[in-house]
Amino acid sequence: MVSLRGLTLTAARPRIIVPLFARDPAALCPLAKAASADPAAELVELRLDPLPADEFLNALALVRGIVDKPLVVTIRTRAEGGELALTPDAYAAHCRALLARGGVDVLDIEWRACGAFRAELRDAAHAAGAAALFSEHHFDATPATDAMADTLTGMADAGADIAKLAVMPRCAADAARLLEATARAADARPDTPLITMSMGPLGAVTRFCGGAFGSCATFGVTSGTSASAPGQPPADVLKAKLITAPL
Ligand SMILES: O=C1C[C@@](O)(C(=O)O)C[C@@H](O)[C@@H]1O
């Protein structure tokens, strides 16, 4: 079971993660305070890629100084829909430096993009007391259902503590397929917490009902913070309307 500062990840009780997404380091402080103060925000994600790379360590220290909630630290590369183009070497170097700085509860590791560094980064996360979250993003389409289920089980088999998949639907059936792939992977690898979402307006429903299909967390925005991906609802609306299984 994955437990983060005493908070367990289980689909029976999906957790709400609020992302901090700012292009200016000065803007992070009010965002971190807003997420910290919002009772609907159970975990916080620090998205570093919109910031200048030489601010990453300062940003982590600043946010960690404000936020007591479990902190997910993410560098989303441009290849996976983020803001920063990085070689695998540079990506791994930033991740190592952040772990060495301390205060990371969960490190988001782009498991395909970081290629050869995957196992090393997972081990470095563990050595730093952090969970290794493997992630994959498709911002232009929803892969085949089998491929999505295989991605999630593949992450589990590759040693992920948490497996995350975000995809973009082109029709409502694509959102339904993401849920089906999640349910299949959750059945096949019940010991690995999954986090999945279909993005944009068509996928927003999956952010509310993913728990019923095996997703352990969902992303939403706190008043005053901005969305880090299309379709994220307000965290308080998520909290009020989250659907879990059994009903
Ligand atoms: O991977 C994810 C999921 C996400 O893309 C979403 O759609 O909510 C938002 C990102 O900030 C996070 O790193």
Side-chain angles (χ1 to χ4, degrees):
M1 180 184 305
V2 174
S3 177
L4 306 165
R5 296 189 176 227
L7 181 149
T8 51
L9 285 185
T10 161
R13 165 70 173 84
R15 303 291 179 178
I16 297 173
I17 307 176
V18 165
L20 307 182
F21 190 91
R23 293 198 161 74
D24 174 2
L28 266 182
C29 186
L31 297 188
K33 285 183 177 159
S36 204
D38 184 349
E42 298 175 283
L43 295 90
V44 173
E45 180 192 47
L46 172 58
R47 277 285 300 269
L48 288 167
D49 47 289
L51 294 165
D54 58 2
E55 293 287 347
F56 284 1
L57 296 180
N58 287 340
L60 172 58
L62 182 144
V63 168
R64 190 73 280 185
I66 295 170
V67 172
D68 285 334
K69 300 175 183 183
L71 185 63
V72 183
V73 174
T74 302
I75 304 170
R76 181 70 59 245
T77 63
R78 195 168 291 157
E80 299 241 354
E83 305 277 313
L84 193 62
L86 284 176
T87 63
D89 292 77
Y91 175 84
H94 284 304
C95 289
R96 280 187 216 108
L98 289 159
L99 290 167
R101 167 65 188 69
V104 179
D105 294 313
V106 179
L107 179 70
D108 183 306
I109 299 169
E110 293 182 352
W111 80 310
R112 287 202 204 278
C114 76
F117 298 106
R118 183 192 301 161
E120 182 217 311
L121 290 178
R122 178 202 56 206
D123 293 347
H126 290 169
L133 180 159
F134 287 2
S135 70
E136 183 172 314
H137 307 77
H138 296 262
F139 269 77
D140 50 358
T142 299
T145 312
D146 285 351
M148 291 191 285
D150 288 349
T151 293
L152 291 165
T153 56
M155 288 173 175
D157 296 345
D161 298 310
I162 304 164
K164 172 153 63 92
L165 176 65
V167 298
M168 188 64 83
R170 292 191 175 153
C171 58
D174 282 347
R177 291 194 303 101
L178 179 274
L179 295 172
E180 181 186 346
T182 305
R184 281 204 223 158
D187 277 349
R189 301 290 185 278
D191 294 334
T192 304
L194 310 177
I195 303 176
T196 66
M197 64 283 293
S198 177
M199 296 182 282
L202 280 172
V205 63
T206 66
R207 299 182 184 274
F208 289 89
C209 69
F213 298 85
S215 178
C216 298
T218 182
F219 285 71
V221 292
T222 287
S223 158
T225 66
S226 9
S228 62
Q232 290 171 346
D236 56 345
V237 176
L238 268 178
K239 186 177 177 184
K241 296 191 172 168
L242 262 188
I243 296 166
T244 55
L247 294 173

